Amino acid sequence: MQILSNLTSKFPTFLLTGIPGLESFHAWISIPFCCLYAIALSGNSMILFVIITQQSLHEPMYYFLSMLSAADLGLTVSTMSTTLGILWFDAKEINLDTCITQMFFLHGFTFIESGVLVAMAFDRYVAICDPLRYTTILTNSRMIQMGLVMIIRTVVLIVPLLLLLKPLYFGRENVLSHSYCYHPDVIKLACSDTRANSICGLIDLILTTGIDTPCIVLSYILIIHSVLSIASPEERHKVFSTCVSHIGAVTIFYIP
């Protein structure tokens, strides 16, 4: 027990990883990373600014787009500090509490993004399959309710997952394989039983991606079925063109 106590700790320090083998080039590699972060921050901020300031864009479709941009901003900021810290200052050390905080925002905003994509698919379904009831179904109060459901779902799923990390023991040397804290990466390093963590993680995955992906697929099956019943090719093209941006967002979110 004394040997095990010397090898493990409940207050570990984790070492984040930059780009293995290219440590001497981190300063140069940080340039494209900074450009990507700047594009993400400025692009999403511009989308939010335009939607907020333009009264004509105060519609459900653009509200969902603003939610997606806000979630993407949160994801960008949650990884930016540690990634640039490694590339600029070789700041690799991070304690468990800071790691848990980063995971809360990283995984939390990921869950919110997934929920927003489902809401956008529902928006397109109602707009195309039941256009006469669009304004009565997607009211401002319902939009607020949908946003609150996304946030509540995220908190309910994420908090137990991260609290289960606190009782775990970790080795003295804990090298993570990313430049940020990622839950599956962290529990691999635990020296104690992680079955509860794995089960909780699997439940979270089923209740997010496992539900959201089929809902998006189902909505587009119904949309395609509705569009194919339209006789005019021009009308079909017009209807499909309204879904292109959402299909692109779903593709970028899920495929990588």
Side-chain angles (χ1 to χ4, degrees):
M1 286 298 292
Q2 184 64 38
I3 295 173
L4 182 63
S5 177
N6 291 334
L7 292 175
T8 61
S9 172
K10 286 193 73 173
F11 308 100
T13 298
F14 296 97
L15 295 177
L16 300 169
T17 301
I19 300 178
L22 297 175
E23 287 81 3
S24 59
F25 297 99
H26 274 179
W28 293 104
I29 294 169
S30 70
I31 295 173
F33 271 85
C34 286
C35 291
L36 289 171
Y37 278 127
I39 291 169
L41 291 172
S42 59
N44 284 301
S45 298
M46 189 179 298
I47 290 171
L48 286 170
F49 176 77
V50 170
I51 292 173
I52 291 169
T53 56
Q54 295 296 318
Q55 192 69 31
S56 60
L57 299 182
H58 291 181
E59 298 177 3
M61 180 174 67
Y62 296 104
Y63 286 141
F64 289 131
L65 181 60
S66 65
M67 291 179 194
L68 194 64
S69 290
D72 201 52
L73 271 175
L75 271 175
T76 302
V77 173
S78 67
T79 61
M80 183 172 64
S81 57
T82 51
T83 301
L84 294 182
I86 292 171
L87 297 177
W88 284 347
F89 310 111
D90 199 34
K92 296 181 178 180
E93 290 191 2
I94 186 170
N95 61 46
L96 181 59
D97 289 337
T98 306
C99 202
I100 287 174
T101 302
Q102 186 178 46
M103 280 189 284
F104 176 82
F105 290 106
L106 174 65
H107 294 295
F109 282 117
T110 302
F111 288 177
I112 289 174
E113 269 201 7
S114 180
V116 172
L117 290 173
V118 175
M120 292 173 76
F122 176 70
D123 169 77
R124 291 300 84 203
Y125 165 75
V126 176
I128 293 168
C129 299
D130 199 0
L132 297 178
R133 297 180 58 207
Y134 182 79
T135 55
T136 58
I137 292 175
L138 288 170
T139 60
N140 287 337
S141 61
R142 191 153 290 155
M143 295 279 296
I144 294 171
Q145 290 170 3
M146 292 171 74
L148 287 174
V149 167
M150 292 177 208
I151 294 171
I152 291 169
R153 181 184 75 161
T154 297
V155 173
V156 168
L157 293 178
I158 288 289
V159 170
L161 184 72
L162 300 182
L163 287 178
L164 285 171
L165 291 172
K166 294 293 286 183
L168 297 180
Y169 283 89
F170 294 89
R172 296 291 183 183
E173 295 294 331
N174 302 291
V175 181
L176 300 171
S177 57
H178 296 80
S179 59
Y180 49 84
C181 291
Y182 182 58
H183 183 263
D185 201 17
V186 172
I187 62 172
K188 283 182 192 175
L189 300 174
C191 299
S192 43
D193 189 4
T194 60
R195 280 178 295 181
N197 304 75
S198 298
I199 291 169
C200 189
L202 180 61
I203 291 171
D204 284 7
L205 192 64
I206 291 170
L207 293 178
T208 51
T209 306
I211 291 176
D212 295 351
T213 306
C215 286
I216 293 171
V217 171
L218 177 61
S219 69
Y220 273 96
I221 289 173
L222 296 172
I223 287 170
I224 291 169
H225 179 267
S226 177
V227 170
L228 291 178
S229 64
I230 300 173
S232 170
E234 292 78 11
E235 285 296 318
R236 288 184 189 176
H237 181 268
K238 182 179 179 181
V239 171
F240 271 128
S241 67
T242 65
C243 302
V244 170
S245 59
H246 180 251
I247 293 172
V250 171
T251 302
I252 292 169
F253 182 80
Y254 283 109
I255 290 180

